Amino acid sequence: MNERASVLNGGVSYVRPSATSPWGTFIAQVERAAPFLGPLSYLTETLRWPKRVLIVDVPIEMDDGSIGHFEGYRVQHNLSRGPGKGGVRFHPAVTLEEVMALAGWMTVKNAAINLPFGGAKGGVRIDPKALSSKELERVTRRYTSEIGPIIGPQKDIPAPDVNTDAQIMAWMMDTYDMNTGLASTGVVTGKPVHLGGSLGRVKATGRGVFVVGCAAMRRLAMPVEGARVAIQGFGNVGSVAADLFAGAGARIVAIQDSGGAIANANGLSIAELAAHRHREGGVSGFPGGETIEREAFWDIPCDVLIPAALEGQLTAARAARTTARLVLEGANGPTVPEADDILASRGITVAPDVICNAGGVTVSYFEWVQDFASYFWTEDEINDRLARIVLDAFEHVWEMAAKRNVPLRTAAFILACERILKAHAERGLYP
Ligand code: NAD
């Protein structure tokens, strides 16, 4: 911001990042790309300002008759390239700064992969595991009503994220339709298939991690067969990536989730682990592996590390310890900027979130297109198109990294920011 605008703005704005927050990480990542943006670099400031931030109160009647109030958000970070697109997270640690960062990463991801979307994200600060199914439905419906004025198939299209799934998307779609009188399926993606959802969407993010991972391993001359893979998070993204890597002959040597960590140097059976998690709610106590201390997960000898839980997990200390040669970011924002520097100095390649986990939003894009056309594709068509789009983006990012001599993350940000800021410049500043 220039000095005069800064003085006129006054005070401390919510857009000013605290150093260690996810929003701070996002801003630092933008700053690393800015010197490479040439004549567009003067526009970079716009990425520090989310276009629209909505904070809502979500009051619901609890099963015991009391009234609970929950704080919810929907942030539209940038809409220069199209309607907002990004998931909704239900988690007890959700904050506005976190949702702003996640929305910013969606802006960059959608541009890096070249989808016709801007970036958005939503969240409710709630522990969904402490709610009954009826309470969860009431939270979902009231939250959807509150953010209703700013969402829509051509405005902003939510999707699943941490602790939200196809059922929650069905409730969101139904609430939107009840409020608007429309029969609109394209307002959310990640819906059940028989309600206008897309085949392949549930597994799309993990599949994208696998496809990008194999491409990165080819570039690094690392065979997938026999590779030792450690994964943080065994939810939608982590479990699918684990299954696909194991199916390709890799050994999943350790998995950590919110309840604990397990290891097996010979490789964990992913099908048995998935059944155990289904029964027990987490990976802890799995008889096919040895229980390890949570922190010991980061020391497990491995070739590939897949953080697929939450942001900020790969800290500087953990980056200094990991034995992996390749980090595949299944989660959004798992690596803090200091850890990026340490990994780069140790010669460890990071396939950044904005490419590596973009399979999910890519199939969300397919779902949105199919909903408009009311014509649905086969799963093979979807998986082929997914692989083509993410691989194409990955190769462009790899070439940009080589050309500019920067890490893959900065290369992805350069490519994405060029597209976003060009769109911004061509639209011009309203009014
Ligand atoms: P999920 O709710 O299905 O699973 C989350 C997993 O992370 C669970 O196994 C949970 O136990 C684990 N976890 C949570 N907190 C943890 C902690 N402190 N330490 C270790 N493990 C922890 O969520 P998901 O959809 O798999 O999302 C995981 C990440 O991937 C998030 O960063 C999300 O934003 C990102 N992502 C998801 C999608 C998608 O399509 N679902 C798309 C792109 C990116």
Side-chain angles (χ1 to χ4, degrees):
M1 202 188 315
N2 74 36
E3 212 173 310
R4 183 170 139 75
S6 165
V7 169
L8 290 175
N9 191 42
V12 176
S13 161
Y14 67 92
V15 305
R16 184 135 350 136
S18 48
T20 53
S21 71
W23 179 241
T25 295
F26 171 73
I27 297 297
Q29 293 168 350
V30 169
E31 277 168 2
R32 287 173 180 206
F36 299 95
L37 296 174
L40 290 169
S41 58
Y42 80 103
L43 289 172
T44 316
E45 179 68 18
T46 194
L47 299 172
R48 293 170 179 272
W49 293 80
K51 176 185 174 64
R52 191 173 284 133
V53 168
L54 181 60
I55 305 176
V56 295
D57 171 31
V58 184
I60 63 150
E61 186 176 340
M62 308 301 285
D63 288 348
D64 66 3
S66 65
I67 309 284
H69 286 264
F70 304 97
E71 195 165 301
Y73 312 96
R74 186 73 188 169
V75 174
Q76 295 170 345
H77 174 261
N78 188 290
L79 304 183
S80 292
R81 287 172 41 85
K85 187 88 195 80
V88 172
R89 176 174 294 194
F90 286 176
H91 194 275
V94 164
T95 63
L96 176 59
E97 265 203 316
E98 181 190 43
V99 179
M100 281 164 42
L102 291 164
W105 282 316
M106 289 311 299
T107 301
V108 172
K109 186 184 305 180
N110 290 329
I113 219 90
N114 213 0
L115 302 179
F117 291 131
K121 202 86 180 193
V124 181
R125 192 179 315 126
I126 196 166
D127 180 2
K129 294 187 185 104
L131 298 185
S132 70
S133 170
K134 277 286 156 207
E135 288 168 337
L136 195 60
E137 178 176 349
R138 287 197 284 271
V139 164
T140 304
R141 288 187 181 278
R142 184 60 189 255
Y143 168 70
T144 308
S145 277
E146 294 300 331
I147 65 166
I150 67 165
I151 62 169
Q154 271 149 337
K155 287 179 170 178
D156 180 0
I157 307 116
D161 190 70
V162 174
N163 290 329
T164 56
D165 58 12
Q167 174 61 72
I168 286 174
M169 294 305 116
W171 289 329
M172 289 190 77
M173 178 181 80
D174 186 65
T175 304
Y176 180 82
D177 285 358
M178 291 297 150
N179 285 345
T180 58
L182 300 169
S184 170
T185 49
V187 62
V188 291
T189 58
K191 301 176 291 291
V193 171
H194 56 279
L195 286 181
S198 178
L199 293 168
R201 174 61 185 92
V202 172
K203 294 189 171 181
T205 307
R207 179 174 292 281
V209 171
F210 173 68
V211 168
V212 169
C214 291
M217 291 171 86
R218 261 194 308 279
R219 286 282 193 174
L220 297 169
M222 294 169 70
V224 177
E225 177 124 30
R228 298 164 304 167
V229 180
I231 305 179
Q232 186 197 35
F234 196 61
N236 176 288
V237 181
S239 66
V240 173
D243 189 44
L244 292 173
F245 270 108
R251 270 183 291 154
I252 312 302
V253 291
I255 295 190
Q256 186 205 60
D257 71 3
S258 55
I262 50 163
N264 184 337
N266 297 319
L268 295 155
S269 161
I270 299 307
E272 285 172 23
L273 183 58
H276 174 87
R277 184 218 28 204
H278 190 69
R279 276 194 313 273
E280 307 294 332
V283 300
S284 284
F286 178 57
E290 174 201 348
T291 298
I292 56 170
E293 288 291 320
R294 289 185 63 76
E295 197 53 32
F297 166 81
W298 303 96
D299 299 313
I300 287 288
C302 64
D303 306 299
V304 179
L305 175 64
I306 307 182
L310 296 175
E311 56 276 356
Q313 294 296 306
L314 198 41
T315 57
R318 292 169 179 168
R321 277 158 45 200
T322 183
T323 56
R325 277 181 62 202
L326 174 64
V327 176
L328 301 175
E329 292 189 334
N332 287 306
T335 311
V336 303
E338 303 75 53
D340 260 337
D341 293 340
I342 291 167
L343 294 169
S345 73
R346 297 185 59 212
I348 298 168
T349 301
V350 179
D353 47 6
V354 293
I355 294 290
C356 197
N357 70 29
V361 72
T362 301
V363 177
S364 273
Y365 165 59
F366 298 161
E367 181 172 332
W368 182 72
V369 169
Q370 292 170 87
D371 284 342
F372 275 124
S374 294
Y375 179 76
F376 292 87
W377 312 343
T378 66
E379 192 157 358
D380 283 348
E381 277 174 298
I382 284 159
N383 289 343
D384 287 351
R385 290 180 203 217
L386 157 65
R388 216 175 320 135
I389 288 181
V390 296
L391 282 177
D392 189 53
F394 176 76
E395 293 303 329
H396 276 99
V397 167
W398 190 278
E399 284 159 22
M400 174 65 84
K403 187 167 134 198
R404 301 290 197 164
N405 193 23
V406 292
L408 293 174
R409 187 188 317 284
T410 302
F413 269 66
I414 295 170
L415 271 172
C417 291
E418 278 175 356
R419 289 179 181 146
I420 300 158
L421 299 182
K422 190 159 178 284
H424 184 62
E426 283 167 350
R427 280 173 175 266
L429 192 59
Y430 175 86

